[in-house]
Amino acid sequence: MTTSLTPTPNSTRSGRVTSHLRLDLPNLVWALAATHFVSRAGGAVQSFLVLYLTQEQRLTPTTAGAVVAAVGAGGIGSQILGGWLSDRIGRRHTMLAGFLGTAVALVGLGSADTLPTIWAAAACVGLMGDLFRPAGSAAVADLPPQQRIRAFGLLFWATNLGFSVATASAGILARRGYGLLFWINATAAVIAALIVWRRVPETRARTLKQTRRALLPTLLRDRLMIAMVLVHVAYFTLFLQTFTTTPLAMTADGHSAATYGTMLALNGLLIVAGQPLAVRLLAGRDPSTVLALSMLMVGAGVGSNSIVHSNSGYAVSVLVWSLGQTGIAVMFGTTFADLAPAGLRGGYMGVASATWNIGAMLGPLVGTTLLSHVGRTGLAVACAVAGTALCAAQLALRPALRSRTAPEKNNTVRLPTSDHLARDDRRT
């Protein structure tokens, strides 16, 4: 697909896109959603990787943890590389390379039997595994602005639906051997590649190839983007307490792993059921306000996870942070897409996606350190304070975000100039 994705002058003045876009874009978005669902539904290997490494490969827990950390570190590189490649070789080619590379890396990891080969395969899994995400986000960012929020919402919904399928089936499948999980995960990646090959067109406009600029110099001048990245790294560090300190707190209260799994299942159910409604309710709202209030809710919900003790208390906490998580998810992609220069959408979306991976690395370190030194009450206070601070920071960025994204909302596409970036620098 070429520049037909860009609204024509007539459609810009009328506030509507052409009938061609109305017919084609839902197919593109649904195909991308299918790849997200399939890859996540079949992607159970990473959740069971520590058990596989310690039980079948007989690695020590410390060594197994280091291997898993290597996968996570590769994920950061994967997001950046995926965004960069999608601006250079195209969204479609990057997604194909990512899915097929993931399948090969998974087969390699499942068959590796020495520590060096396990390390190498794990690094490849991390590096290949998320290439498709910034490329898919860039494809959605190529759509007219008024269609992005629903498209990003659908991708988030499909991903969580796939996660629900994976969590429900992976434990049962693992009883038949961890090797089966590797083959299922690799097969899912191949199926996702086939969907891209048959159903996902290239969305990078040919006319934008002439407007590409170097990513790093542009990012370093873009203080607003840097500020947004820092805010979201801090947010994901906070949010990832749900997978690190929360299970530790529940275990200390005498709850079983199955109870923690039920809490995660409740989170998935709330998202799958409520996210489509959230898209309708939040579409047209100010993104910064939604993001700020959502961060406040996540801080309150995650913080309360540390001080409640009963099943009902944990359930209420999950409800609060799940609502905040949904608000972030609805606005995250479209906000960063509006910030991205047209020729660097892939790179910007890759950097934005990497904030999750960085938070996933910092979250366990920060959370467990606080839990050890200040206890559960101190951790709860820290989470609440962090949510409040993030809310204030996001609201402080609201004027600059409105100024930058106003031209996009009016359906005019332009690259931010050095003067424009300088004005953003003064605001942030």
Side-chain angles (χ1 to χ4, degrees):
M1 187 173 292
T2 61
T3 52
S4 61
L5 286 173
T6 305
T8 64
N10 288 336
S11 66
T12 298
R13 285 192 292 267
S14 65
R16 298 187 299 271
V17 296
T18 63
S19 60
H20 175 73
L21 288 177
R22 287 197 299 269
L23 292 173
D24 285 354
L25 291 183
N27 293 331
L28 165 67
V29 174
W30 281 100
L32 289 173
T35 65
H36 281 61
F37 170 77
V38 169
S39 62
R40 180 53 70 93
V45 165
Q46 195 162 350
S47 299
F48 286 80
L49 188 55
V50 168
L51 295 178
Y52 164 74
L53 293 172
T54 54
Q55 294 178 9
E56 288 205 5
Q57 295 292 348
R58 305 300 181 185
L59 300 182
T60 65
T62 301
T63 303
V67 172
V68 174
V71 176
I76 298 175
S78 183
Q79 299 282 5
I80 304 297
L81 179 62
W84 183 83
L85 284 175
S86 68
D87 285 332
R88 294 308 187 271
I89 66 174
R91 293 41 164 143
R92 173 183 162 89
H93 290 158
T94 301
M95 284 186 274
L96 287 172
F99 285 128
L100 295 176
T102 297
V104 173
L106 284 165
V107 172
L109 180 57
S111 59
D113 55 4
T114 65
L115 189 56
T117 56
I118 290 173
W119 274 97
C124 289
V125 168
L127 190 60
M128 293 288 104
D130 281 333
L131 282 182
F132 79 97
R133 296 188 188 279
S137 296
V140 173
D142 291 333
L143 304 181
Q146 65 272 21
Q147 296 180 331
R148 292 173 187 164
I149 187 170
R150 295 186 64 185
F152 279 117
L154 179 60
L155 297 190
F156 175 72
W157 183 84
T159 298
N160 280 276
L161 182 62
F163 176 77
S164 299
V165 172
T167 54
S169 60
I172 299 174
L173 293 171
R175 296 174 186 171
R176 300 179 178 272
Y178 292 110
L180 180 61
L181 295 182
F182 284 95
W183 283 105
I184 290 175
N185 206 155
T187 301
V190 172
I191 292 173
L194 290 173
I195 295 172
V196 173
W197 179 52
R198 294 296 302 271
R199 306 299 299 175
V200 176
E202 179 56 61
T203 63
R204 185 185 55 158
R206 291 175 182 173
T207 56
L208 293 180
K209 294 180 182 179
Q210 303 296 323
T211 65
R212 289 199 310 243
R213 294 183 295 172
L215 175 62
L216 184 59
T218 304
L219 279 173
L220 292 177
R221 294 200 313 270
D222 194 343
R223 296 286 183 85
L224 178 56
M225 178 65 178
I226 292 173
M228 285 289 289
V229 166
L230 293 176
V231 166
H232 281 81
V233 166
Y235 161 73
F236 285 121
T237 300
L238 169 65
F239 174 75
L240 264 295
Q241 300 311 306
T242 57
F243 299 104
T244 52
T245 53
T246 294
L248 294 176
M250 294 184 71
T251 300
D253 286 335
H255 298 289
S256 66
T259 303
Y260 173 64
T262 301
M263 294 296 102
L264 292 183
L266 175 61
N267 167 249
L269 178 63
L270 290 169
I271 291 174
V272 171
Q275 190 269 343
L277 177 61
V279 171
R280 293 186 179 185
L281 292 176
L282 298 177
R285 305 286 183 181
D286 177 68
S288 282
T289 302
V290 174
L291 290 171
L293 294 179
S294 297
M295 290 173 183
L296 185 64
M297 293 180 70
V298 169
V302 173
S304 64
N305 278 343
S306 300
I307 56 176
V308 298
H309 302 283
S310 65
N311 286 339
S312 59
Y314 281 112
V316 172
S317 297
V318 170
L319 172 63
V320 173
W321 61 257
S322 295
L323 291 175
Q325 177 193 11
T326 302
I328 296 288
V330 169
M331 290 298 180
F332 179 86
T334 189
T335 302
F336 278 100
D338 288 346
L339 284 177
L344 292 175
R345 284 176 181 150
Y348 266 57
M349 298 309 294
V351 172
S353 298
T355 59
W356 162 273
N357 301 78
I358 298 173
M361 293 186 67
L362 294 177
L365 298 175
V366 174
T368 54
T369 299
L370 286 173
L371 187 61
S372 299
H373 288 82
V374 299
R376 291 175 63 170
T377 301
L379 177 62
V381 172
C383 289
V385 170
T388 303
L390 288 170
C391 175
Q394 188 63 60
L395 289 176
L397 295 175
R398 181 168 55 185
L401 281 171
R402 284 178 173 175
S403 175
R404 172 78 74 82
T405 60
E408 275 280 296
K409 297 305 181 183
N410 292 327
N411 289 330
T412 60
V413 178
R414 66 170 182 171
L415 293 173
T417 64
S418 298
D419 290 341
H420 193 164
L421 294 176
R423 288 196 296 272
D424 285 336
D425 292 351
R426 291 192 291 272
R427 293 189 187 97
T428 57

